[in-house]
Amino acid sequence: MIDWGSIFSNAAVELISPTTAAYALAALGLAVHFGYTGLLNFGQAGFMAIGAYGYAISVLTFGFPVWGAVLVGIGASIVFALILGIPTLRLRADYLAIVTIAAAEIVRLLFTTNTFVAVTGSANGLSEYKGGFRALNPLSFEGKAGFGPWMFSANDWWNIIVGWSVVILAVLFTWLLMRSPWGRVIKGIREDEDAVRALGKNVYSYKMQSLIIGGVFGTLAGMIFIMPRAVIPSAYATSLTFFIWAILLLGGAATILGPVLGSIVFWVLLSFFSGFIARAVEAGWFPISEVQAGQLRFILVGVAIMLLVIFRPQGLLGNKKEMSFVK
Amino acid sequence: MSSETTPTSGPVKSTGLHLGDAEPGCRKVDPILVADGVTRTFGGLKAVDVAHVEIPRGAITALIGPNGAGKTTFFNLLTGFDKPDSGTWQFDGRSLAHVPAYRVARMGLIRTFQLTKSLGLLSVLDNMKLGAKDQTGENLFRSLLPFLWRKQEQEIEAKAVELLTRFKLDAKQHDYAASLSGGQRKLLEMARALMSDPTLVMLDEPMAGVNPALTQSLLDHILDLKTQGMTVLFVEHDMHMVRHIADWVVVMAEGRIVAEGDPHSVMQDQAVIDAYLGAHHDTDLGAAHTSNVEAVKELIDDEQ
């Protein structure tokens, strides 16, 4: 018989997992890009990879402390945003989309190639960079602590606390920005950049600032993402970008809490479906193999997202009124 | 004609704007905008080729011409939205060549667009506030500290509401701009342009697609700009409107300025009639050229 308790408790774990926090933060970066500024960034995985590798390489190769490694990652992502933005932000929106998707792949392949194996670890990736981060952990207890389904080790709790703290700070930062006159200019650019230019605003500079802010969010998300696991280049493929897009549209593109809620819903559903399907196949409910079952969860998530876009196109937290004017 | 017999007295026209004869490129008493040798080609087509033109200050100047005459392209060049192949132009004595569009706007030269560009998913009030100049909170770092910009924001809002009231859009201020009608969007765009206290307002076809009931109020607003000391340059196809409000008319055809003058005399100008109707509009092509007739006959024979 199916063990519903373990399916639900596994799903509940995803509610606060650091991976959920990382996806929420990356999606918040995309909300700044797409939801507020109208920039089509299809390379958020590239920004995450730069955060992950920037941190890991700084620690492993150069022996930087935690704060230094974080700054290296942020600096690298600003440079990456400038490289992407300088040639494309003067052009139409679709050019940025093409350049970002290509640049993210270039980044991933540079980290995969054997040429830099001594630094990047090639396809095997990197690990053993967590010492400095764990040394900062004020929690120290043996075994697991917590309540209900949320029983974690001290290191896991530290990942969760830091991950969600960064998400909360980023949410506050974005909220402050978007209610300010700066946010008004950014939203104006989303609607019609020529009109904003005619009103005396330096549109190019605003778009660049937005690209950098959203990119840095992606980079920080990349760092949170690698704390519970190792750095593996194949994790930063384009499918990562599209999961983040799915989360953004699920939550609502031009909302601040939408990406956070979207990420939670996405991961809880994904975990629930995968647990349910795996158990159901074991119990012989579906005539498919376990390998096939592993893929089926993505199909179910895809169907769920399709239904959402058809019946609630503004996302979970989006403003319904906005959709009535979208052509 | 006495004023008793004309109950609808027309607007007061500015006269004596030019020096010498009213001919293409003639000098003005007090020009606000001077363009010299501005050219722009698209492939083999010379869209704009303006040798010299001066726009008089404090007056309403109409830029007219048939479709494809290069009026909008000339507008784009003047406001930095397009780059010319050659030429210099000055606004208030300052050169505008190679100045990006947003800096042109900051100098006090604000334009509107032929196809209205209201920012649909912003409220009408936010549309207006976006037009304000030098808002401290539009800087990324200062925007995070509301106490730096809150007072200025209140002043901007008060000004925006006052302008909206003048344009009778105040009841709509919290609605999305996308919910406005086409005519209201034209009004909003004009009101938004006024938020920065411009010295020169350039309107690209302000009457296009506006229903006749709104036309009169739009016209009054344009005349109002002049009484407030602003200079207006507008592109328009509606000759009634041009005659009604323009103090000076510049006529373009095939990229060139072909005539200038006050609205009444310029419409009698042979070059203008030619530009609109074609130089041979009153000659009978069939009778005058027997060779044409023979060519047609040959064509008919070939087909048979």
Side-chain angles (χ1 to χ4, degrees), chain A residues 173 176-177 179-182 184-185 187-188 190-192 194-195 197-202 206 209 213 319 321-322 325, chain B residues 81 102 105-106 110 113 117 119-122 126 129-130 132 135 137-138 140 143-144 146 149-150 153 176 178-179 192:
Chain A
F173 179 78
L176 277 174
L177 274 182
R179 67 197 276 273
S180 76
W182 187 90
R184 190 166 61 214
V185 177
K187 287 178 240 173
R190 173 190 71 197
E191 297 302 315
D192 193 317
D194 272 343
R197 198 171 279 136
L199 295 172
K201 319 290 177 207
N202 187 351
Y206 279 100
Q209 292 168 24
I213 291 170
N319 182 349
K321 231 166 74 188
E322 281 183 10
F325 297 115
Chain B
F81 276 82
Y102 74 94
R106 284 184 195 170
I110 298 275
F113 293 87
K117 292 187 184 292
L119 307 166
L121 294 185
L122 262 59
D126 275 349
K129 286 177 179 174
L130 207 51
Q135 160 62 280
E138 285 175 5
L140 175 61
S143 72
L144 294 170
W149 46 262
R150 189 157 285 152
E153 184 78 358
Y176 281 131
S179 71
R192 190 174 67 194

Short mmCIF file of all heavy atoms in Angstrom, two decimals, chain A residues 173 176-177 179-182 184-185 187-188 190-192 194-195 197-202 206 209 213 319 321-322 325, chain B residues 81 102 105-106 110 113 117 119-122 126 129-130 132 135 137-138 140 143-144 146 149-150 153 176 178-179 192:
data_model
loop_
_atom_site.label_atom_id
_atom_site.label_comp_id
_atom_site.label_asym_id
_atom_site.label_seq_id
_atom_site.Cartn_x
_atom_site.Cartn_y
_atom_site.Cartn_z
N PHE A 173 14.60 44.43 -0.68
CA PHE A 173 15.33 45.32 -1.59
C PHE A 173 14.50 45.59 -2.85
O PHE A 173 14.32 46.74 -3.26
CB PHE A 173 16.66 44.63 -1.95
CG PHE A 173 17.53 45.38 -2.90
CD1 PHE A 173 18.29 46.45 -2.45
CD2 PHE A 173 17.63 45.00 -4.23
CE1 PHE A 173 19.12 47.15 -3.33
CE2 PHE A 173 18.44 45.69 -5.11
CZ PHE A 173 19.20 46.76 -4.65
N LEU A 176 11.47 47.80 -2.02
CA LEU A 176 11.84 49.21 -1.88
C LEU A 176 12.08 49.85 -3.26
O LEU A 176 11.65 50.97 -3.52
CB LEU A 176 13.12 49.33 -1.05
CG LEU A 176 12.96 49.31 0.46
CD1 LEU A 176 14.32 49.29 1.13
CD2 LEU A 176 12.16 50.52 0.92
N LEU A 177 12.77 49.09 -4.12
CA LEU A 177 13.08 49.63 -5.45
C LEU A 177 11.82 49.87 -6.26
O LEU A 177 11.66 50.91 -6.89
CB LEU A 177 13.96 48.64 -6.23
CG LEU A 177 15.45 48.70 -6.02
CD1 LEU A 177 16.11 47.68 -6.93
CD2 LEU A 177 15.99 50.08 -6.31
N ARG A 179 8.72 50.37 -5.48
CA ARG A 179 7.75 51.38 -5.08
C ARG A 179 8.34 52.79 -5.20
O ARG A 179 7.66 53.77 -4.95
CB ARG A 179 7.29 51.14 -3.64
CG ARG A 179 8.39 51.34 -2.61
CD ARG A 179 8.02 50.70 -1.30
NE ARG A 179 7.19 51.57 -0.48
CZ ARG A 179 7.67 52.48 0.36
NH1 ARG A 179 8.97 52.65 0.49
NH2 ARG A 179 6.85 53.23 1.08
N SER A 180 9.60 52.87 -5.60
CA SER A 180 10.27 54.17 -5.70
C SER A 180 10.13 54.73 -7.12
O SER A 180 9.70 54.02 -8.03
CB SER A 180 11.75 54.00 -5.38
OG SER A 180 12.40 53.41 -6.49
N PRO A 181 10.49 55.98 -7.32
CA PRO A 181 10.48 56.53 -8.68
C PRO A 181 11.39 55.74 -9.64
O PRO A 181 11.10 55.68 -10.83
CB PRO A 181 11.00 57.96 -8.48
CG PRO A 181 10.64 58.29 -7.08
CD PRO A 181 10.77 57.02 -6.31
N TRP A 182 12.43 55.12 -9.11
CA TRP A 182 13.28 54.29 -9.97
C TRP A 182 12.45 53.15 -10.57
O TRP A 182 12.52 52.87 -11.76
CB TRP A 182 14.45 53.72 -9.14
CG TRP A 182 15.48 52.98 -9.95
CD1 TRP A 182 16.59 53.51 -10.54
CD2 TRP A 182 15.51 51.57 -10.24
NE1 TRP A 182 17.28 52.52 -11.19
CE2 TRP A 182 16.65 51.32 -11.02
CE3 TRP A 182 14.67 50.50 -9.92
CZ2 TRP A 182 16.99 50.05 -11.48
CZ3 TRP A 182 15.00 49.24 -10.38
CH2 TRP A 182 16.16 49.02 -11.15
N ARG A 184 9.33 53.14 -11.04
CA ARG A 184 8.36 53.69 -11.99
C ARG A 184 8.99 53.84 -13.38
O ARG A 184 8.38 53.50 -14.39
CB ARG A 184 7.90 55.05 -11.48
CG ARG A 184 6.74 55.62 -12.22
CD ARG A 184 6.15 56.77 -11.44
NE ARG A 184 7.10 57.84 -11.25
CZ ARG A 184 7.16 58.62 -10.16
NH1 ARG A 184 6.33 58.42 -9.18
NH2 ARG A 184 8.05 59.57 -10.07
N VAL A 185 10.25 54.30 -13.40
CA VAL A 185 10.94 54.43 -14.69
C VAL A 185 11.10 53.05 -15.33
O VAL A 185 10.85 52.85 -16.52
CB VAL A 185 12.31 55.10 -14.51
CG1 VAL A 185 13.05 55.17 -15.84
CG2 VAL A 185 12.15 56.49 -13.93
N LYS A 187 9.31 50.34 -14.89
CA LYS A 187 8.04 49.82 -15.41
C LYS A 187 7.63 50.57 -16.68
O LYS A 187 7.04 49.99 -17.59
CB LYS A 187 6.94 49.93 -14.35
CG LYS A 187 7.11 48.92 -13.23
CD LYS A 187 6.03 49.09 -12.17
CE LYS A 187 6.65 49.40 -10.84
NZ LYS A 187 5.68 49.75 -9.80
N GLY A 188 7.95 51.85 -16.73
CA GLY A 188 7.69 52.61 -17.95
C GLY A 188 8.46 52.05 -19.13
O GLY A 188 7.93 51.95 -20.24
N ARG A 190 9.35 49.01 -19.53
CA ARG A 190 8.68 47.77 -19.92
C ARG A 190 7.52 48.07 -20.89
O ARG A 190 7.33 47.37 -21.87
CB ARG A 190 8.15 47.08 -18.67
CG ARG A 190 7.28 45.86 -18.94
CD ARG A 190 6.62 45.38 -17.68
NE ARG A 190 5.58 46.31 -17.26
CZ ARG A 190 5.05 46.35 -16.04
NH1 ARG A 190 5.46 45.52 -15.12
NH2 ARG A 190 4.11 47.22 -15.74
N GLU A 191 6.81 49.16 -20.62
CA GLU A 191 5.64 49.47 -21.45
C GLU A 191 6.05 50.03 -22.81
O GLU A 191 5.50 49.65 -23.83
CB GLU A 191 4.73 50.45 -20.73
CG GLU A 191 4.15 49.92 -19.43
CD GLU A 191 3.34 48.66 -19.63
OE1 GLU A 191 2.54 48.62 -20.58
OE2 GLU A 191 3.52 47.70 -18.86
N ASP A 192 6.95 51.00 -22.82
CA ASP A 192 7.38 51.59 -24.08
C ASP A 192 8.64 52.41 -23.85
O ASP A 192 8.57 53.50 -23.29
CB ASP A 192 6.28 52.49 -24.65
CG ASP A 192 6.57 52.87 -26.09
OD1 ASP A 192 7.73 53.18 -26.40
OD2 ASP A 192 5.63 52.83 -26.90
N ASP A 194 10.65 53.97 -25.89
CA ASP A 194 10.79 55.23 -26.62
C ASP A 194 10.07 56.37 -25.92
O ASP A 194 10.55 57.50 -25.88
CB ASP A 194 10.25 55.10 -28.05
CG ASP A 194 11.32 54.58 -29.00
OD1 ASP A 194 12.51 54.65 -28.62
OD2 ASP A 194 10.97 54.14 -30.09
N ALA A 195 8.90 56.05 -25.36
CA ALA A 195 8.15 57.09 -24.63
C ALA A 195 8.95 57.58 -23.44
O ALA A 195 9.01 58.77 -23.16
CB ALA A 195 6.81 56.53 -24.18
N ARG A 197 12.19 57.45 -23.08
CA ARG A 197 13.34 58.19 -23.60
C ARG A 197 12.91 59.63 -23.94
O ARG A 197 13.63 60.58 -23.66
CB ARG A 197 13.85 57.48 -24.86
CG ARG A 197 15.24 57.84 -25.25
CD ARG A 197 15.71 56.94 -26.37
NE ARG A 197 16.17 55.65 -25.87
CZ ARG A 197 15.85 54.50 -26.43
NH1 ARG A 197 15.08 54.45 -27.49
NH2 ARG A 197 16.31 53.38 -25.92
N ALA A 198 11.74 59.76 -24.52
CA ALA A 198 11.25 61.09 -24.91
C ALA A 198 10.97 61.95 -23.69
O ALA A 198 10.82 63.16 -23.81
CB ALA A 198 9.99 60.96 -25.76
N LEU A 199 10.88 61.32 -22.50
CA LEU A 199 10.65 62.09 -21.28
C LEU A 199 11.95 62.40 -20.57
O LEU A 199 11.96 62.85 -19.43
CB LEU A 199 9.70 61.34 -20.36
CG LEU A 199 8.29 61.15 -20.92
CD1 LEU A 199 7.48 60.23 -20.04
CD2 LEU A 199 7.58 62.48 -21.07
N GLY A 200 13.08 62.11 -21.22
CA GLY A 200 14.36 62.53 -20.66
C GLY A 200 15.03 61.53 -19.73
O GLY A 200 15.84 61.91 -18.92
N LYS A 201 14.67 60.25 -19.85
CA LYS A 201 15.33 59.25 -19.00
C LYS A 201 16.34 58.47 -19.85
O LYS A 201 16.05 58.11 -20.99
CB LYS A 201 14.33 58.24 -18.42
CG LYS A 201 13.02 58.82 -17.95
CD LYS A 201 13.15 59.67 -16.73
CE LYS A 201 11.81 60.27 -16.38
NZ LYS A 201 11.91 61.53 -15.66
N ASN A 202 17.49 58.17 -19.23
CA ASN A 202 18.52 57.41 -19.93
C ASN A 202 18.17 55.92 -19.87
O ASN A 202 18.59 55.19 -18.99
CB ASN A 202 19.87 57.67 -19.28
CG ASN A 202 21.01 57.05 -20.05
OD1 ASN A 202 20.78 56.29 -20.99
ND2 ASN A 202 22.23 57.38 -19.69
N TYR A 206 19.22 52.57 -17.35
CA TYR A 206 18.26 51.90 -16.47
C TYR A 206 18.18 50.40 -16.78
O TYR A 206 18.10 49.57 -15.88
CB TYR A 206 16.87 52.53 -16.60
CG TYR A 206 16.70 53.79 -15.78
CD1 TYR A 206 16.79 55.03 -16.37
CD2 TYR A 206 16.46 53.72 -14.42
CE1 TYR A 206 16.64 56.20 -15.63
CE2 TYR A 206 16.30 54.86 -13.67
CZ TYR A 206 16.39 56.10 -14.28
OH TYR A 206 16.26 57.23 -13.53
N GLN A 209 21.18 48.74 -15.31
CA GLN A 209 21.08 48.58 -13.86
C GLN A 209 20.17 47.41 -13.52
O GLN A 209 20.47 46.60 -12.63
CB GLN A 209 20.52 49.86 -13.23
CG GLN A 209 21.46 51.04 -13.32
CD GLN A 209 20.76 52.35 -12.96
OE1 GLN A 209 19.77 52.37 -12.27
NE2 GLN A 209 21.30 53.46 -13.46
N ILE A 213 21.13 43.98 -11.45
CA ILE A 213 20.47 43.61 -10.19
C ILE A 213 19.89 42.20 -10.29
O ILE A 213 20.13 41.35 -9.42
CB ILE A 213 19.36 44.63 -9.85
CG1 ILE A 213 19.99 45.96 -9.47
CG2 ILE A 213 18.49 44.12 -8.70
CD1 ILE A 213 19.00 47.10 -9.35
N ASN A 319 -1.91 40.45 -10.91
CA ASN A 319 -3.10 41.29 -10.90
C ASN A 319 -3.95 40.97 -12.13
O ASN A 319 -3.52 41.16 -13.26
CB ASN A 319 -2.65 42.76 -10.91
CG ASN A 319 -3.81 43.72 -10.86
OD1 ASN A 319 -4.96 43.32 -11.02
ND2 ASN A 319 -3.51 44.98 -10.64
N LYS A 321 -6.40 42.44 -13.37
CA LYS A 321 -6.74 43.61 -14.19
C LYS A 321 -5.70 43.83 -15.30
O LYS A 321 -6.03 44.28 -16.38
CB LYS A 321 -6.79 44.84 -13.27
CG LYS A 321 -8.07 45.64 -13.42
CD LYS A 321 -8.25 46.64 -12.29
CE LYS A 321 -7.34 47.83 -12.42
NZ LYS A 321 -7.37 48.71 -11.26
N GLU A 322 -4.43 43.52 -14.95
CA GLU A 322 -3.37 43.74 -15.95
C GLU A 322 -3.62 42.92 -17.21
O GLU A 322 -3.39 43.37 -18.31
CB GLU A 322 -2.01 43.35 -15.37
CG GLU A 322 -1.44 44.41 -14.47
CD GLU A 322 -0.07 44.04 -13.95
OE1 GLU A 322 0.52 43.06 -14.43
OE2 GLU A 322 0.42 44.75 -13.07
N PHE A 325 -5.66 43.97 -20.41
CA PHE A 325 -5.15 44.92 -21.39
C PHE A 325 -4.01 44.36 -22.22
O PHE A 325 -3.45 45.05 -23.05
CB PHE A 325 -4.68 46.19 -20.70
CG PHE A 325 -5.78 46.92 -19.99
CD1 PHE A 325 -5.78 47.05 -18.62
CD2 PHE A 325 -6.83 47.45 -20.72
CE1 PHE A 325 -6.81 47.70 -17.98
CE2 PHE A 325 -7.87 48.10 -20.08
CZ PHE A 325 -7.86 48.23 -18.71
N PHE B 81 15.97 60.81 -32.04
CA PHE B 81 15.49 59.44 -32.17
C PHE B 81 16.03 58.76 -33.42
O PHE B 81 15.86 57.57 -33.62
CB PHE B 81 13.96 59.39 -32.15
CG PHE B 81 13.40 59.39 -30.77
CD1 PHE B 81 13.26 60.58 -30.08
CD2 PHE B 81 13.09 58.21 -30.14
CE1 PHE B 81 12.78 60.58 -28.79
CE2 PHE B 81 12.62 58.21 -28.84
CZ PHE B 81 12.46 59.40 -28.16
N TYR B 102 17.38 61.28 -24.87
CA TYR B 102 16.97 61.64 -23.52
C TYR B 102 17.58 62.99 -23.09
O TYR B 102 16.98 63.72 -22.31
CB TYR B 102 17.33 60.52 -22.53
CG TYR B 102 18.79 60.38 -22.19
CD1 TYR B 102 19.31 61.01 -21.07
CD2 TYR B 102 19.64 59.62 -22.97
CE1 TYR B 102 20.65 60.89 -20.75
CE2 TYR B 102 20.97 59.48 -22.66
CZ TYR B 102 21.48 60.12 -21.54
OH TYR B 102 22.80 60.00 -21.23
N ALA B 105 15.55 65.79 -24.59
CA ALA B 105 14.34 66.01 -23.79
C ALA B 105 14.67 66.83 -22.55
O ALA B 105 13.91 67.71 -22.15
CB ALA B 105 13.73 64.67 -23.41
N ARG B 106 15.83 66.54 -21.93
CA ARG B 106 16.18 67.28 -20.71
C ARG B 106 16.45 68.75 -20.98
O ARG B 106 16.34 69.59 -20.11
CB ARG B 106 17.42 66.66 -20.06
CG ARG B 106 17.10 65.38 -19.35
CD ARG B 106 18.30 64.84 -18.65
NE ARG B 106 18.09 63.46 -18.28
CZ ARG B 106 19.05 62.68 -17.81
NH1 ARG B 106 20.27 63.13 -17.68
NH2 ARG B 106 18.77 61.43 -17.49
N ILE B 110 10.47 68.62 -25.84
CA ILE B 110 9.72 67.39 -25.59
C ILE B 110 8.84 67.09 -26.80
O ILE B 110 8.24 68.00 -27.38
CB ILE B 110 8.84 67.54 -24.33
CG1 ILE B 110 9.72 67.79 -23.11
CG2 ILE B 110 7.95 66.34 -24.13
CD1 ILE B 110 10.27 66.57 -22.45
N PHE B 113 4.28 61.35 -29.99
CA PHE B 113 4.41 60.43 -31.11
C PHE B 113 3.13 60.34 -31.92
O PHE B 113 2.04 60.56 -31.41
CB PHE B 113 4.79 59.04 -30.60
CG PHE B 113 6.16 58.99 -29.98
CD1 PHE B 113 6.34 59.29 -28.64
CD2 PHE B 113 7.27 58.67 -30.74
CE1 PHE B 113 7.60 59.27 -28.07
CE2 PHE B 113 8.53 58.64 -30.18
CZ PHE B 113 8.70 58.94 -28.85
N LYS B 117 2.01 56.85 -27.35
CA LYS B 117 2.77 55.94 -26.51
C LYS B 117 2.40 56.19 -25.06
O LYS B 117 3.15 56.78 -24.31
CB LYS B 117 4.26 56.15 -26.74
CG LYS B 117 4.73 55.73 -28.12
CD LYS B 117 6.22 55.80 -28.23
CE LYS B 117 6.72 55.48 -29.62
NZ LYS B 117 6.52 54.09 -30.00
N LEU B 119 1.84 54.62 -21.43
CA LEU B 119 2.42 53.45 -20.79
C LEU B 119 1.28 52.68 -20.16
O LEU B 119 0.86 52.94 -19.03
CB LEU B 119 3.46 53.91 -19.78
CG LEU B 119 4.50 54.85 -20.41
CD1 LEU B 119 5.31 55.56 -19.37
CD2 LEU B 119 5.39 54.10 -21.37
N GLY B 120 0.75 51.69 -20.92
CA GLY B 120 -0.53 51.07 -20.63
C GLY B 120 -0.72 50.54 -19.23
O GLY B 120 -1.74 50.80 -18.61
N LEU B 121 0.25 49.80 -18.71
CA LEU B 121 0.03 49.15 -17.41
C LEU B 121 0.58 49.99 -16.26
O LEU B 121 0.87 49.48 -15.19
CB LEU B 121 0.64 47.75 -17.40
CG LEU B 121 -0.04 46.76 -18.36
CD1 LEU B 121 0.53 45.38 -18.20
CD2 LEU B 121 -1.54 46.74 -18.17
N LEU B 122 0.73 51.29 -16.50
CA LEU B 122 0.99 52.23 -15.40
C LEU B 122 -0.27 53.06 -15.24
O LEU B 122 -0.98 53.30 -16.22
CB LEU B 122 2.16 53.14 -15.75
CG LEU B 122 3.54 52.78 -15.18
CD1 LEU B 122 3.95 51.40 -15.66
CD2 LEU B 122 4.58 53.80 -15.59
N ASP B 126 0.84 57.76 -12.63
CA ASP B 126 2.24 57.37 -12.78
C ASP B 126 2.79 57.81 -14.13
O ASP B 126 3.96 58.20 -14.24
CB ASP B 126 2.38 55.85 -12.62
CG ASP B 126 2.50 55.44 -11.16
OD1 ASP B 126 2.68 56.35 -10.33
OD2 ASP B 126 2.41 54.25 -10.87
N LYS B 129 3.69 61.37 -13.58
CA LYS B 129 4.85 61.58 -12.71
C LYS B 129 6.15 61.25 -13.44
O LYS B 129 7.19 61.83 -13.16
CB LYS B 129 4.73 60.69 -11.47
CG LYS B 129 3.71 61.16 -10.47
CD LYS B 129 3.69 60.14 -9.36
CE LYS B 129 2.75 60.48 -8.25
NZ LYS B 129 2.70 59.34 -7.31
N LEU B 130 6.05 60.31 -14.37
CA LEU B 130 7.24 59.93 -15.13
C LEU B 130 7.75 61.10 -15.96
O LEU B 130 8.92 61.16 -16.31
CB LEU B 130 6.88 58.75 -16.03
CG LEU B 130 7.96 57.78 -16.44
CD1 LEU B 130 8.74 57.29 -15.26
CD2 LEU B 130 7.34 56.62 -17.18
N ALA B 132 8.07 64.13 -15.01
CA ALA B 132 8.75 65.16 -14.23
C ALA B 132 10.26 65.07 -14.39
O ALA B 132 10.81 63.99 -14.59
CB ALA B 132 8.37 65.02 -12.76
N GLN B 135 13.84 64.09 -10.76
CA GLN B 135 13.34 63.41 -9.56
C GLN B 135 14.50 62.64 -8.93
O GLN B 135 15.07 61.74 -9.55
CB GLN B 135 12.17 62.50 -9.95
CG GLN B 135 11.81 61.39 -8.97
CD GLN B 135 11.38 61.88 -7.62
OE1 GLN B 135 12.20 62.24 -6.78
NE2 GLN B 135 10.09 61.90 -7.38
N GLY B 137 14.59 60.42 -6.65
CA GLY B 137 14.34 59.01 -6.41
C GLY B 137 14.51 58.14 -7.65
O GLY B 137 14.38 56.93 -7.56
N GLU B 138 14.80 58.76 -8.78
CA GLU B 138 15.02 57.94 -9.97
C GLU B 138 16.44 57.43 -10.04
O GLU B 138 16.80 56.68 -10.93
CB GLU B 138 14.65 58.74 -11.23
CG GLU B 138 13.13 58.85 -11.38
CD GLU B 138 12.69 59.71 -12.54
OE1 GLU B 138 13.56 60.17 -13.31
OE2 GLU B 138 11.48 59.92 -12.68
N LEU B 140 19.22 54.96 -8.65
CA LEU B 140 19.11 53.63 -8.06
C LEU B 140 19.37 53.64 -6.56
O LEU B 140 18.60 53.07 -5.78
CB LEU B 140 20.08 52.68 -8.77
CG LEU B 140 20.19 51.26 -8.19
CD1 LEU B 140 18.85 50.56 -8.25
CD2 LEU B 140 21.21 50.46 -8.97
N SER B 143 16.92 55.85 -4.50
CA SER B 143 15.54 55.36 -4.52
C SER B 143 15.25 54.47 -3.31
O SER B 143 14.11 54.30 -2.91
CB SER B 143 15.28 54.58 -5.80
OG SER B 143 15.94 53.34 -5.76
N LEU B 144 16.31 53.90 -2.72
CA LEU B 144 16.12 53.00 -1.58
C LEU B 144 15.82 53.75 -0.29
O LEU B 144 15.44 53.16 0.70
CB LEU B 144 17.38 52.14 -1.39
CG LEU B 144 17.66 51.15 -2.52
CD1 LEU B 144 19.03 50.54 -2.36
CD2 LEU B 144 16.61 50.05 -2.55
N PRO B 146 13.47 56.43 0.98
CA PRO B 146 12.29 57.25 0.61
C PRO B 146 12.33 58.67 1.16
O PRO B 146 11.78 59.57 0.54
CB PRO B 146 11.12 56.47 1.22
CG PRO B 146 11.61 55.08 1.35
CD PRO B 146 13.08 55.18 1.61
N TRP B 149 13.30 61.44 -1.27
CA TRP B 149 12.52 61.87 -2.43
C TRP B 149 11.03 62.06 -2.15
O TRP B 149 10.29 62.49 -3.01
CB TRP B 149 12.69 60.91 -3.61
CG TRP B 149 12.60 59.45 -3.30
CD1 TRP B 149 13.63 58.60 -3.10
CD2 TRP B 149 11.41 58.64 -3.17
NE1 TRP B 149 13.19 57.33 -2.84
CE2 TRP B 149 11.83 57.32 -2.87
CE3 TRP B 149 10.05 58.91 -3.26
CZ2 TRP B 149 10.93 56.28 -2.68
CZ3 TRP B 149 9.15 57.86 -3.06
CH2 TRP B 149 9.60 56.56 -2.77
N ARG B 150 10.60 61.77 -0.92
CA ARG B 150 9.16 61.79 -0.67
C ARG B 150 8.54 63.18 -0.86
O ARG B 150 7.48 63.33 -1.46
CB ARG B 150 8.87 61.26 0.73
CG ARG B 150 7.38 61.06 0.96
CD ARG B 150 7.12 60.06 2.05
NE ARG B 150 7.37 58.69 1.62
CZ ARG B 150 7.74 57.72 2.45
NH1 ARG B 150 7.94 57.98 3.71
NH2 ARG B 150 7.92 56.49 2.01
N GLU B 153 8.31 64.04 -4.40
CA GLU B 153 7.26 63.23 -5.01
C GLU B 153 5.89 63.87 -4.79
O GLU B 153 5.05 63.87 -5.69
CB GLU B 153 7.32 61.83 -4.38
CG GLU B 153 6.36 60.83 -4.97
CD GLU B 153 6.84 60.26 -6.29
OE1 GLU B 153 7.91 60.67 -6.77
OE2 GLU B 153 6.13 59.41 -6.85
N TYR B 176 -5.54 52.33 -15.15
CA TYR B 176 -4.45 52.05 -16.07
C TYR B 176 -4.60 52.93 -17.31
O TYR B 176 -5.72 53.12 -17.81
CB TYR B 176 -4.49 50.59 -16.53
CG TYR B 176 -3.92 49.61 -15.54
CD1 TYR B 176 -4.62 48.47 -15.19
CD2 TYR B 176 -2.67 49.82 -14.99
CE1 TYR B 176 -4.10 47.54 -14.30
CE2 TYR B 176 -2.14 48.90 -14.10
CZ TYR B 176 -2.85 47.78 -13.76
OH TYR B 176 -2.33 46.87 -12.88
N ALA B 178 -3.97 52.10 -20.14
CA ALA B 178 -4.49 51.25 -21.21
C ALA B 178 -6.01 51.32 -21.30
O ALA B 178 -6.59 50.98 -22.32
CB ALA B 178 -4.05 49.81 -20.99
N SER B 179 -6.67 51.77 -20.22
CA SER B 179 -8.13 51.80 -20.24
C SER B 179 -8.66 53.09 -20.85
O SER B 179 -9.87 53.26 -20.97
CB SER B 179 -8.66 51.63 -18.82
OG SER B 179 -8.40 52.80 -18.06
N ARG B 192 1.47 64.81 -20.20
CA ARG B 192 2.70 64.24 -19.69
C ARG B 192 3.91 65.03 -20.17
O ARG B 192 4.86 65.26 -19.43
CB ARG B 192 2.79 62.78 -20.15
CG ARG B 192 3.87 61.98 -19.51
CD ARG B 192 3.77 60.54 -19.93
NE ARG B 192 4.05 60.38 -21.35
CZ ARG B 192 3.77 59.28 -22.05
NH1 ARG B 192 3.20 58.27 -21.48
NH2 ARG B 192 4.04 59.21 -23.33
#
